[in-house]
Amino acid sequence: MTFFLAQAEGDAPPENGALADRVQDAQSLGARALEGDPAAMGELFANYGLPIVWALVIIVGSLIVGKIIAGMVRNGTTKAKVDETLSRFFASMAYYLVLTLGVIFALSKFGIDVTAFAAILAAAGFAVGMAMSGTLSNFAAGVMLLIFRPFKIGDFIIASGVSGKVTEIELFTTTLDTPDNRRIIVPNGSVFGSTIENVNHHATRRVDVNVGVEYSAGIDRTREVLEGAIQTVEGRLDDPAPVVYLLELGDSSVNWVVRI
């Protein structure tokens, strides 16, 4: 009875012992409780049963709160017109952050030194970060690509020595399809760290075609033929007007340029 009065007045169960001592204490109380000792039963429930219940409540609450916060982050980033991939990542980060805090708080109910646990997590995170420096670099580059949007899905780009149509932009890689129907997956660190040429950025663009003709071909006739060929090109723009001009007298041909 004295024990339960002490618990009601706010005395906390022993929390400063080592984990091995607490395990030994729980085993001792469990053995006495099995022998029918009511005091041991009460102490076992108060010292270990209640913390287990509280830990379960905390973890379940963390799951619920984590989902709520993740939903709020998702809705907020969607309203702010953040990229869908980045929005999901931020929501997932918020969810697991709340869940991790809940687990640490639940462990504190068993007298575990959570400051040491947090230090272990920090050290582990640092070690993992060092081991995954290249991956983290690609992740950071992916975030920058999603924020600054130098290109979007459907654009034809030239970057990191490869060219193709962008089919997917993820946090770690960018996927391109080449004109000859090959798929290329490029690390975002390579893309963001190189010069990016976005062929489709502007609504219109000019095409330069080099044409070489024999020296025996007449200049006026050549110009007439090239201008006639321009008229057969579908989708051409009259403003700015196409241009045909003689570029140079080469070693074996007269070189012209058609700009359309």
Side-chain angles (χ1 to χ4, degrees):
M1 180 63 69
T2 303
F3 173 79
F4 285 109
L5 289 175
Q7 293 295 324
E9 291 174 359
D11 291 348
E15 295 182 354
N16 298 324
L19 183 59
D21 295 336
R22 293 184 61 82
V23 172
Q24 185 177 1
D25 180 58
Q27 291 175 344
S28 176
L29 289 175
R32 290 167 52 194
L34 291 175
E35 293 175 356
D37 187 346
M41 293 180 184
E43 190 174 352
L44 183 65
F45 176 75
N47 285 357
Y48 301 99
L50 285 178
I52 290 175
V53 173
W54 275 113
L56 292 175
V57 171
I58 291 171
I59 292 176
V60 173
S62 300
L63 291 172
I64 297 174
V65 174
K67 289 183 178 180
I68 294 174
I69 293 179
M72 295 173 60
V73 172
R74 182 77 178 273
N75 293 334
T77 52
T78 300
K79 291 180 180 179
K81 298 182 179 180
V82 176
D83 184 85
E84 179 70 14
T85 302
L86 198 58
S87 176
R88 290 183 179 182
F89 172 76
F90 285 149
S92 178
M93 284 282 289
Y95 174 78
Y96 285 109
L97 177 61
V98 173
L99 185 58
T100 301
L101 293 176
V103 170
I104 293 176
F105 187 55
L107 290 175
S108 68
K109 291 297 181 181
F110 295 95
I112 298 176
D113 188 357
V114 295
T115 56
F117 184 73
I120 293 174
L121 285 180
F126 178 76
V128 172
M130 292 296 293
M132 300 179 62
S133 58
T135 302
L136 294 177
S137 174
N138 290 328
F139 166 75
V143 172
M144 300 299 286
L145 289 174
L146 292 171
I147 291 176
F148 292 103
R149 305 302 295 269
F151 53 83
K152 62 182 184 299
I153 293 177
D155 286 348
F156 190 96
I157 68 169
I158 302 172
S160 188
V162 297
S163 60
K165 181 180 179 181
V166 180
T167 59
E168 195 168 3
I169 306 172
E170 297 183 336
L171 286 175
F172 296 97
T173 60
T174 297
T175 303
L176 306 176
D177 281 344
T178 64
D180 56 349
N181 207 29
R182 291 180 294 119
R183 172 150 293 189
I184 301 178
I185 301 176
V186 188
N188 284 334
S190 300
V191 176
F192 193 73
S194 65
T195 301
I196 301 173
E197 179 181 347
N198 188 343
V199 178
N200 297 108
H201 180 76
H202 297 290
T204 61
R205 63 181 183 272
R206 189 185 71 195
V207 177
D208 291 5
V209 181
N210 296 323
V211 181
V213 300
E214 296 179 353
Y215 269 92
S216 60
I219 292 180
D220 293 337
R221 177 56 179 165
T222 300
R223 185 184 300 275
E224 180 183 348
V225 170
L226 293 177
E227 290 177 347
I230 289 175
Q231 302 304 314
T232 65
V233 178
E234 296 182 0
R236 71 184 184 281
L237 298 180
D238 295 328
D239 185 18
V243 176
V244 177
Y245 68 93
L246 194 153
L247 177 63
E248 62 180 357
L249 301 177
D251 294 336
S252 59
S253 64
V254 178
N255 297 325
W256 295 73
V257 175
V258 179
R259 290 179 172 175
I260 178 172

